[in-house]
Amino acid sequence: MDALETRRAQWAERESNARTYARGIDRVISRGELARVYDSAGREYLDCLACAGALPLGHNHPFIQERVAAYLNSGQLQQALDIATPAKLDFIEQLFQALPAAFAERAKVQFCGPSGSDAVEAALKLFKTATGRRSVLAFQGAYHGMTMGSLGMMGNLGPKQAVNGYPAEIQFLPFPYAYRSPFGADAAETERLSLAYLENLLSDPESGVTKPAMLLVEPIQGEGGCIPASAEWLRGLREITARHDVPLVVDEVQSGFGRSGDMFAHEWAGIVPDAIIMSKAVGGGYPLALIAYHEKYDRWTPGAHAGTFRGNQIALVSGAAALEYLRRPGSLEQVRAVGQRLRQRLQALHSRYACIGEVRGRGLMLGVELIDPNGQPDAMGRPPANSELAKALKRACLERGLILESGGRHGAVMRFLPPLILTLEDADLIAQRFEAALDSLWPAAPATQPAPAAMAL
């Protein structure tokens, strides 16, 4: 054990029980270069986490680093609250060029505290203020953050059970999760029933739900298991909310800025939401969060939402650089091409490994749902999620130089969120390392054979 590893082990005992990634990645990661990171012993890893998607161009990309280094030596401000600065003006110009044109022409922007959670809180406050309504619609499986308002709109019950005091009147809707349909139906019928459920809730005078201040949705559920909504379903959602005068707020914290292969994940449906929540990639690797919304909802008063670090100048510089890079010809085409290559390689494993239930996602936001094909099906006939395999597989991947995280129901979905500058060769190598790790735990075999002894964890 080297000196840094010794210190890591020593100080880990002083860290909170709430720490997460550090438990599985029990290494000192000492440097990074684009899609690769290296630990203190010099071992290389392909990074399919990318700080939960917050590093769109990977680690230390020169296009960002050169801008940041020049800024640090320029004598300009480090922090500026919401005061105008050259860095802020440059960022806003890049942002409005990246936003969908039909949305941008009537949009206003509010800079928030530097986390997605705070931007979600801002949306909650804004639309309750603008509409005068109390209730909010969210979806099962949603992840919107860890502060009290955003946590109240989260689908995952784990972080919610030990605390109380969430905002009242939050109604959860079934998300069109076709592989584990909440209606026990196929994909098309699941989408139809999901929209019918919403239509009924908004039109039934005895639905029990007052008219909502907003409906909050992720176009691709991230932590919920990398579940993409179809373009048809998103169009149906927009039509219903518009007809019932319910603001549609799209959470693009993880799916935005090229992650899906489009600049924003909702764009492929051709819809125009009432607001877009942004964080993670928008800062180019540095903390930044904001909400953009239709100007008609700009009804709050000065100071109604504030935060000391909403003027994070370094993040504005790096964010502007990232947006400029992603808007270059060919950038999003590369994301789509590499994402398709990685998905094809993972799909090939699906046909050979009975423990893979589904491969899904868009662009470089992909998920592999792990199942126990020999386990007891649930009441709807679906195979059980295999959380034990997911835990073991994360470790096996790490040992083979691949950093992955899990999510979804029971933590049984392996999630691929690599930097957007990934190459085709990188995608092949990721698939190879993933297959080697999977094969060490569950060698390819027909679903009728019993689980290998290696899975007795």
Side-chain angles (χ1 to χ4, degrees), residues 105 209 240 345 390 397:
E105 65 184 11
V209 179
I240 293 172
R345 293 292 303 268
C397 285

Side-chain angles (χ1 to χ4, degrees), residues 272-287:
V272 180
D274 295 293
I276 303 173
I277 298 172
M278 296 164 269
S279 188
K280 293 190 185 293
V282 74
Y286 292 83

Side-chain angles (χ1 to χ4, degrees), residues 20 210 253 271-272 286 334 353 355:
T20 54
T210 59
V253 168
I271 64 172
V272 180
Y286 292 83
Q334 179 182 345
Y353 290 87
C355 59

Side-chain angles (χ1 to χ4, degrees), residues 119-143:
V120 171
E121 298 281 351
L124 183 65
K125 291 159 63 176
L126 170 63
F127 284 96
K128 286 193 172 188
T129 298
T131 65
R133 305 170 194 163
R134 303 187 309 273
S135 70
V136 172
L137 301 182
F139 284 90
Q140 296 165 0
Y143 182 97

